[in-house]
Amino acid sequence: MRSLPLPIALTARLSPVVVLAAAGWALSSGPLAATPAAEDRAATQKTDGEEPSAPATEAVSKTYSAAPAPCDSLGSKSIKSLVPGAKTAGKEIPSTDSKLRRTCSWNALKGYEYRWLDVSFEITQSDDAAKESFKERVADKSGGGDVPGIGDAGYSVVNLSTEDKQQTREGVVLVRSSNALISITYSGSDFESKKAPASDDINKGAIKAAKEAVAALEDGQKG
């Protein structure tokens, strides 16, 4: 049996489809298709006038790459003045990462007067990281005030505590210098009178230690 021709109406409906299919072939695979070379030339023409894009990220430059030896950050004269009777060599506190965080401690009891001094250095990844950490630490030690002329930012606070009728006064000085953070803790008690040293004495002593620590950092650790 021979096949019958398609009805005229159906043939008319299919004709545009055939024409469009043929046109699509001509654009994608036929003589009208764009050649790879033509596409490359078009891409080249598009980018010739454009500036090369900058790298997505850039290495962050750091002023300080390692914490200094904290027990060498203060002169022996200052240690004898702030912590009478203490060994000037001090004692470094073990750290989980001594390249980035280091602390030295001095303490002594002379007569009935007791003094304790800690000097700590911490190296952060960038100035911005140090700024954020400094801001958080200052917020945790509210009630103090700015210390001008020390590092990029300085702050001090003094608090009095009493336990079993014994007073202890503690001063804390926080300093940011570029990507480094310096923390000074200085405290004192008098076990005979049960009183604490004057607030001004503790504050000035802590600031004195902070200035020396910052100077040691700047003199020996810039890189």
Side-chain angles (χ1 to χ4, degrees):
M1 177 182 296
R2 65 186 180 86
S3 59
L4 297 176
L6 290 171
I8 295 175
L10 181 57
T11 301
R13 287 199 298 269
L14 290 178
S15 294
V17 177
V18 174
V19 172
L20 291 175
W25 172 85
L27 291 174
S28 61
S29 303
L32 298 180
T35 63
E39 292 175 350
D40 291 344
R41 285 195 299 272
T44 301
Q45 291 170 356
K46 181 179 179 181
T47 58
D48 278 347
E50 296 177 357
E51 294 292 333
S53 58
T57 57
E58 295 181 0
V60 176
S61 61
K62 296 191 296 184
T63 304
Y64 305 105
S65 58
C71 293
D72 296 335
S73 62
L74 302 185
S76 59
K77 184 177 179 180
S78 295
I79 295 168
K80 290 177 181 179
S81 172
L82 295 173
V83 192
K87 294 181 179 180
T88 56
K91 180 180 180 181
E92 184 161 356
I93 307 302
S95 170
T96 56
D97 190 342
S98 59
K99 182 178 180 181
L100 300 180
R101 287 177 292 276
R102 299 181 71 174
T103 300
C104 189
S105 182
W106 296 265
N107 63 86
L109 176 65
K110 187 172 183 180
Y112 294 98
E113 295 282 341
Y114 181 74
R115 295 292 184 275
W116 184 294
L117 174 65
D118 284 348
V119 176
S120 298
F121 295 92
E122 180 177 347
I123 306 301
T124 67
Q125 291 300 313
S126 66
D127 285 16
D128 287 342
K131 289 177 183 177
E132 186 61 29
S133 182
F134 179 81
K135 181 180 177 180
E136 292 174 356
R137 295 182 189 195
V138 167
D140 289 339
K141 300 286 185 181
S142 61
D146 294 337
V147 180
I150 182 170
D152 293 312
Y155 176 85
S156 72
V157 62
V158 178
N159 289 308
L160 177 67
S161 61
T162 303
E163 184 175 353
D164 295 332
K165 298 182 180 181
Q166 173 64 60
Q167 292 183 343
T168 298
R169 185 165 270 117
E170 179 183 86
V172 175
V173 176
L174 303 172
V175 181
R176 182 186 72 82
S177 178
S178 298
N179 65 307
L181 297 169
I182 301 95
S183 176
I184 307 296
T185 303
Y186 182 48
S187 62
S189 299
D190 185 328
F191 292 133
E192 183 176 34
S193 66
K194 299 292 184 178
K195 301 295 183 180
S199 178
D200 195 49
D201 291 342
I202 291 296
N203 190 47
K204 286 182 177 179
I207 292 174
K208 175 181 174 61
K211 288 181 176 180
E212 285 195 34
V214 172
L217 173 76
E218 294 175 346
D219 289 344
Q221 294 297 316
K222 280 193 174 182

